[in-house]
Structures are given as structure tokens and as C-alpha cells.
Amino acid sequence: MIIFVTCRIGQIIGRSFSRGFFNLGKYVNQVALDYRAVCGDIVKDSRKHPLKAIFYSCTSCGLLGLYMTNPDFARYTIQLTQANCDLANVGEPIRSPATVAYLSEVSKLQKRKVLRHTTFGLFSIIWLDNASDHLRVYAATCKMLKVRWIDMLSEHRIVDVGFANSWWLLRSSMREYDVNELEFNESKHVTKLHQIGFNV
């Protein structure tokens, strides 16, 4: 009796699997036919409207490229560390005061662990939070004190914007990091005094 029941259950399970695989095969075949029809329509439409096809292709490739090169917080940390190293290799008299101030401020915020990363698929932002997420004080855990989206704009909490595998405000701050603007201002002032007859 037990053997008969076991065999019967095995037959039922086997039929179920056979039907399942058969239905799965039909489904996959139907999906393949649908995709084949869609691809055929795309090719026909591309031949009729080549400029439209080129535009859509370039746009799709551009959006895909932005998505694939959307930088994360680790990339920001690496870029910030590299910027500090590049600045350290330059003598203090010729360092740009603006670059020094910017990197110093951002590095302090990073050490306080108040920098946050939010991605929007094609680009990301680094923004300033109220407190470190490692703290369990009231200011860090209260939902009413969380930073809102409107606060990021009104309170200038956006620290950096990243896309195309780079953080652009940080990159912009390093544009002329080895040029001290104050030196040029002083030299211009001295030159002007010489021109008007003063001995400096």
C-alpha cells in the first residue's frame, strides 16, 4: 500500500514538473517571439527615420554612460584624499587660500561623519547632515529634526555634486591649487607703487 501511494505521488509530481516545464517553454518561446517582433519594428522605423534613430541611440548611450559612471561615496573619499595629497606636495607660500579653506572645511566635516551620499541614478550629491549617524543623541535620532529636501537648498547643505565619475565642486576647487592669489595681488600693488614713483 505504501509503495503504491509513493509511486502514485511520484507520478503526480512528475506530471506536474512536465507540465510546468512545458508551460515555461511556451512562455519563453512567446517572449522570444515578442522581442523579435519589437526588434524588427525598431529596425524598420530606424530605416524610415534615421535622424530620429540616431538621436534616440545617442541619448540612450549617454544616459547609460551617466548611470554607469555615477560616483559613490567611496569615490568622493578617494578624490578628497588625493586632493589633500596634491595640496600637501605644494609649498605653503604658493598654496591657494581658497583651496586650503575648502579642503580644510570638507575634511573636518568628513571627520565628524556628517557627510551623506544620495544617488539619483544619473548623478549623486554629497550633503551635510545635522549629526553623525553613529551618535544616539536626540538631535541625531529625532525624526522631526531630520534634514528635509527643501533644507538642502535653503540652508546650502549640498557640499558636492557628482556625475561622470567625478565630484565637480571638489574638482573645481583644485583647478589652480598651486597659485596663491594673494601673492599676485601684492605684486600688482608693489608694481603700481613703483609706477607712481614710490620706492618699495
Side-chain angles (χ1 to χ4, degrees):
M1 183 66 179
I2 297 175
I3 297 175
F4 174 77
V5 172
T6 304
C7 292
R8 190 63 178 167
I9 292 174
Q11 291 177 356
I12 294 173
I13 293 174
R15 290 175 182 174
S16 300
F17 273 109
S18 298
R19 291 174 182 173
F21 280 116
F22 178 73
N23 292 332
L24 179 62
K26 288 178 61 179
Y27 173 76
V28 172
N29 186 41
Q30 186 62 44
V31 171
L33 291 176
D34 292 340
Y35 274 105
R36 182 179 178 181
V38 170
C39 291
D41 293 339
I42 291 175
V43 172
K44 292 179 181 178
D45 189 64
S46 299
R47 290 175 179 174
K48 291 181 180 179
H49 308 284
L51 294 180
K52 180 181 177 182
I54 292 173
F55 172 77
Y56 281 134
S57 299
C58 293
T59 302
S60 300
C61 291
L63 293 177
L64 180 62
L66 288 176
Y67 176 78
M68 296 297 293
T69 57
N70 185 16
D72 54 8
F73 190 77
R75 175 64 183 171
Y76 182 78
T77 303
I78 293 172
Q79 193 171 334
L80 179 60
T81 303
Q82 184 63 48
N84 280 308
C85 291
D86 292 340
L87 187 65
N89 290 328
V90 176
E92 290 188 12
I94 61 173
R95 293 178 185 174
S96 170
T99 303
V100 172
Y102 181 84
L103 292 183
S104 177
E105 182 64 24
V106 173
S107 298
K108 288 178 182 177
L109 296 176
Q110 186 189 31
K111 289 179 181 178
R112 288 170 51 196
K113 299 185 182 301
V114 292
L115 294 180
R116 299 287 178 270
H117 171 267
T118 301
T119 180
F120 296 93
L122 302 180
F123 68 97
S124 298
I125 62 172
I126 298 292
W127 54 279
L128 176 62
D129 203 354
N130 290 325
S132 171
D133 55 357
H134 296 289
L135 297 178
R136 290 298 176 263
V137 296
Y138 181 76
T141 58
C142 179
K143 293 183 179 180
M144 300 299 295
L145 297 179
K146 294 293 184 181
V147 178
R148 301 173 299 173
W149 290 107
I150 192 171
D151 295 334
M152 293 187 187
L153 299 176
S154 61
E155 299 178 5
H156 305 288
R157 288 179 174 268
I158 297 179
V159 178
D160 213 330
V161 178
F163 60 91
N165 205 31
S166 184
W167 293 96
W168 292 91
L169 295 182
L170 179 57
R171 182 174 179 175
S172 177
S173 70
M174 295 295 293
R175 185 168 298 169
E176 293 182 347
Y177 67 95
D178 57 347
V179 177
N180 188 346
E181 301 89 349
L182 298 180
E183 279 190 344
F184 285 95
N185 292 336
E186 290 178 358
S187 63
K188 289 180 180 179
H189 180 65
V190 171
T191 302
K192 188 174 182 179
L193 289 178
H194 277 299
Q195 290 175 350
I196 60 178
F198 285 95
N199 293 322
V200 180

